[in-house]
Amino acid sequence: MNRKILMLTLLMALAPGMAHSGSVYKWTDENGVTHFGDRQPTGSKAEQVSVRSGKGSANASSRTSPQEQVQAMEQEAEKRQLTEREQAEMEAIRKQREANCATAQSNLRVIDSNARIQVEENGERRYLSPEEIAEQRMRFEKVAEENCGPMEE
């Protein structure tokens, strides 16, 4: 798609210059009909006509070329994509932090309920010791502290 846009822009930029490169002649035939052409007619009197190319404007030097406009549009699109990608990444991080916070808070509520906590290791079930419960509490408090507060940038 970008090649098509670039080619169209290039053709549009070159067309006025190609049209202006030749001379334009004006003549009137024997029936009084006025004709214009890029070749001087044979056998009749013709005058050369001045054709404006549109290049003499004072603003022409301050305008950007079509290629520069295309490059600017591509850069703007890249910036937008980068911003959208960064926003998507930040949203994914925010959702993961919310999930981590909710899990840590839920586990802390279970620990705070003074229930006996059972785990399964190597296919066998056992209860956590008070020291292991204290260790798990510290671990979940740390996870909650890291994920439940405002995000640091």
Side-chain angles (χ1 to χ4, degrees):
M1 172 116 174
N2 288 337
R3 276 192 185 157
K4 290 179 182 178
I5 291 172
L6 185 60
M7 189 58 118
L8 180 63
T9 305
L10 184 63
L11 286 173
M12 288 174 50
L14 292 178
M18 293 185 340
H20 180 66
S21 63
S23 299
V24 176
Y25 297 94
K26 174 183 171 184
W27 70 93
T28 307
D29 65 8
E30 57 273 352
N31 296 329
V33 178
T34 304
H35 298 274
F36 293 90
D38 60 346
R39 295 189 192 124
Q40 190 171 9
T42 56
S44 62
K45 194 175 184 181
E47 69 178 86
Q48 192 169 358
V49 179
S50 173
V51 180
R52 295 183 186 178
S53 67
K55 292 183 180 180
S57 173
N59 292 339
S61 62
S62 65
R63 292 183 192 160
T64 58
S65 71
Q67 292 85 358
E68 291 171 338
Q69 291 175 355
V70 168
Q71 287 176 347
M73 288 171 36
E74 288 174 349
Q75 289 174 350
E76 220 25 67
E78 285 177 20
K79 285 181 186 176
R80 251 192 325 274
Q81 287 177 347
L82 183 61
T83 302
E84 290 171 0
R85 192 176 317 126
E86 287 174 350
Q87 288 175 346
E89 289 173 2
M90 292 299 290
E91 182 66 16
I93 290 171
R94 184 188 63 76
K95 287 182 178 180
Q96 184 63 51
R97 284 175 47 90
E98 286 177 0
N100 291 347
C101 176
T103 301
Q105 288 176 339
S106 172
N107 290 338
L108 284 171
R109 279 192 296 275
V110 169
I111 289 174
D112 289 340
S113 69
N114 292 325
R116 294 179 63 188
I117 300 172
Q118 199 176 54
V119 293
E120 188 174 320
E121 292 177 343
N122 300 326
E124 294 183 17
R125 293 183 178 211
R126 71 173 186 87
Y127 290 103
L128 291 180
S129 68
E131 294 82 23
E132 290 173 320
I133 291 175
E135 187 179 304
Q136 290 294 329
R137 177 189 307 277
M138 288 184 358
R139 193 174 122 233
F140 292 134
E141 285 173 348
K142 182 179 178 188
V143 170
E145 182 182 318
E146 290 173 352
N147 291 282
C148 294
M151 223 165 86
E152 297 174 9
E153 299 199 22

